[in-house]
Amino acid sequence: MRIIAGPCQHETFGHSAQIASECKRVCNKYGIDYYFKASYDKANRTSINGMRGAGLETTMTDFRSLKEKFGVKILTDVHDYVQVARIEREYSDVVDVYQIPAFLCRQTDLIKAACKTDKIVNIKKGQFLAPWDVKGILSKTEGAKEVWITERGTSFGYNTLVVDFTGLEYMLTNYNVPIVLDATHSVQKPGGNGTSSGGNRDYVPGLTRAASALGIDSFFLEVHDDPDNAPSDGPNMLYLKDFEEVVRDIISYSYPR
């Protein structure tokens, strides 16, 4: 079992260290493979005024310190092949998993660049894609060290996402790669607040329990000590204090496939 958890965007070293240390403690307690996640740049924002992050240089420097202090593995987003090349050139020791954002999941050059590295590649399934469309994404990943596919909800009318559990079952059955449930972005309401996205974190525990019972053993969870005052994705992020309870439930409901 693996869990990817951290804040939406990297804010400060101290803040990310607080979250990484607690998530690692919980995952170690339950024997779960843990990956810390945070973004150096949130390029896909609802409004031009949305806060985007600390930037690549500052974030990578802090990530290196996190790895040295806590021994965590790091996942972060990349948005074009130039960013992949720069990280590989200057910070290759820092990142363990390159994540392809959902809006970019069909960007061939980006996917191929990430897959040419010695890093794991986590590709978020676009909200606009059917489960069987993932076959086309995977056709671009030849030679990759390892590929994960992450479900983060499917568009259902305006500003609404749903999780299709028949689609999760299809992907578990038909693709020989780990399928991850991003339970926090799945309860997002994209653009739902007008100048930012809304959401409801109260639905996250139920989604994780259901997915675990289905046979999903990899989860993506954004967590924050004060999500209502976070610079992005606050409404759908879990409170850090609730992380252990959600993890405990995932294990309790797990159904081995």
Side-chain angles (χ1 to χ4, degrees), residues 17-27 240-241 243-244:
Q18 175 192 4
I19 294 172
S21 61
E22 173 62 7
C23 290
K24 188 171 191 293
R25 179 194 70 79
V26 171
C27 288
L240 181 60
K241 64 181 178 62
F243 178 70
E244 183 167 0

Side-chain angles (χ1 to χ4, degrees), residues 156-231:
F156 185 74
Y158 298 124
N159 306 122
T160 302
L161 299 173
V162 296
V163 176
D164 174 13
F165 280 85
T166 65
L168 283 173
E169 178 75 30
Y170 179 93
M171 291 189 288
L172 284 169
T173 302
N174 288 277
Y175 303 129
N176 190 30
V177 298
I179 304 300
V180 183
L181 175 67
D182 178 350
T184 46
H185 283 103
S186 291
V187 300
Q188 190 181 65
K189 288 190 173 293
N193 291 339
T195 58
S196 65
S197 291
N200 189 338
R201 68 178 68 91
D202 292 343
Y203 296 130
V204 170
L207 287 180
T208 57
R209 290 194 298 268
S212 186
L214 184 70
I216 296 290
D217 64 1
S218 300
F219 293 86
F220 180 109
L221 300 165
E222 286 193 335
V223 296
H224 197 283
D225 60 309
D226 185 17
D228 292 331
N229 290 299

Side-chain angles (χ1 to χ4, degrees), residues 36 124 130 133 152 158 203:
F36 173 78
K124 288 201 165 182
D133 293 334
R152 54 133 312 145
Y158 298 124
Y203 296 130

